Each structure stands twice: as structure tokens, then as C-alpha cells.
Amino acid sequence: MRWKLTERAGPKVRRSSFDDMDRALDALESRGRELAESAPGDAVDVKYKRFEPQQQVVARLEVAGPERFMPRVRVGVDVRGDGSVEAYRGRVRREVVSGQGDESPYTALRRVLSQH
């Protein structure tokens, strides 16, 4: 049973695997915080449209559970151009995971996975 972490930041893709969910989520949180701190914060102009930093996804981190689970568990975070982080679950039909109270996106993912 291996949990897989996939990191997509720009054109680079990194994959890691972990023996348990907590280690995978720890790695996701650590890397997500690093990427959020180094987010560019610049708007991008493309011909007739301008994309503000909060509209850009500069990195996506996804944790996938062991394949023996049906359907396979998938959660992750999108790191935006302004350094904000948004948690989600699912892959094709991604659903935003909102924090409860002052809960961080990373804590919200742990809560969702503990309910699974």
C-alpha cells in the first residue's frame, strides 16, 4: 500500500511515494508552503485577456491513495500566483474543500481523508 504524491510546478513533474497517508500529507504541506512563498505574484497578459495572480495556478500537488481503494482516493492543493492555496478532492470532477473556521487548506485535506 503506497500513497503517491505528484507535484506539477511549471513544466516540471515530480513523483514520490510514501508508506502512509500522514507522511504523504506532510510532504504535500511542506512543498505546498515552499511553492506558495515563491509564487511570482505577477499578472500575465495574453493578447486580449489579462490573468491576475489569483487566477493563475503556478503549481498543483496531488496525493493519491493506494489503488486497492475503489474509487481511488485523490486530494490535492492548487498554489495560486498570489501565494494563496486552495484544497480540492477528486480528479476529473474536482470539488473545492473549504476550511472550517480558521482551518488551513492542509488541515482541511486531513479532515476529509479521515472521513473517507
Side-chain angles (χ1 to χ4, degrees):
M1 288 185 21
R2 304 287 287 174
W3 288 80
K4 295 182 175 132
L5 171 62
T6 303
E7 173 190 333
R8 291 176 182 84
K12 297 179 183 176
V13 177
R14 286 186 1 187
R15 292 182 176 85
S16 309
S17 59
F18 300 89
D19 291 329
D20 63 36
M21 179 184 71
D22 287 330
R23 287 194 180 131
L25 291 174
D26 288 344
L28 178 140
E29 182 174 357
S30 173
R31 189 64 180 135
R33 290 186 187 280
E34 287 174 22
L35 291 165
E37 287 178 16
S38 65
D42 299 328
V44 176
D45 288 314
V46 183
K47 281 199 177 187
Y48 302 105
K49 184 155 177 129
R50 180 179 173 91
F51 293 95
E52 296 300 326
Q54 68 272 17
Q55 294 174 301
Q56 303 168 35
V57 175
V58 295
R60 178 168 286 154
L61 302 159
E62 181 182 86
V63 170
E67 291 188 26
R68 70 180 185 97
F69 292 120
M70 288 296 173
R72 190 171 187 183
V73 177
R74 290 184 189 270
V75 297
V77 294
D78 286 342
V79 179
R80 303 284 179 177
D82 63 351
S84 63
V85 177
E86 181 177 71
Y88 67 87
R89 68 174 158 192
R91 185 166 191 178
V92 176
R93 291 184 177 180
R94 282 191 290 146
E95 175 185 334
V96 173
V97 175
S98 300
Q100 296 176 346
D102 61 349
E103 189 176 58
S104 77
Y106 308 106
T107 306
L109 285 183
R110 290 178 191 276
R111 176 178 41 81
V112 166
L113 283 174
S114 70
Q115 296 170 354
H116 191 269

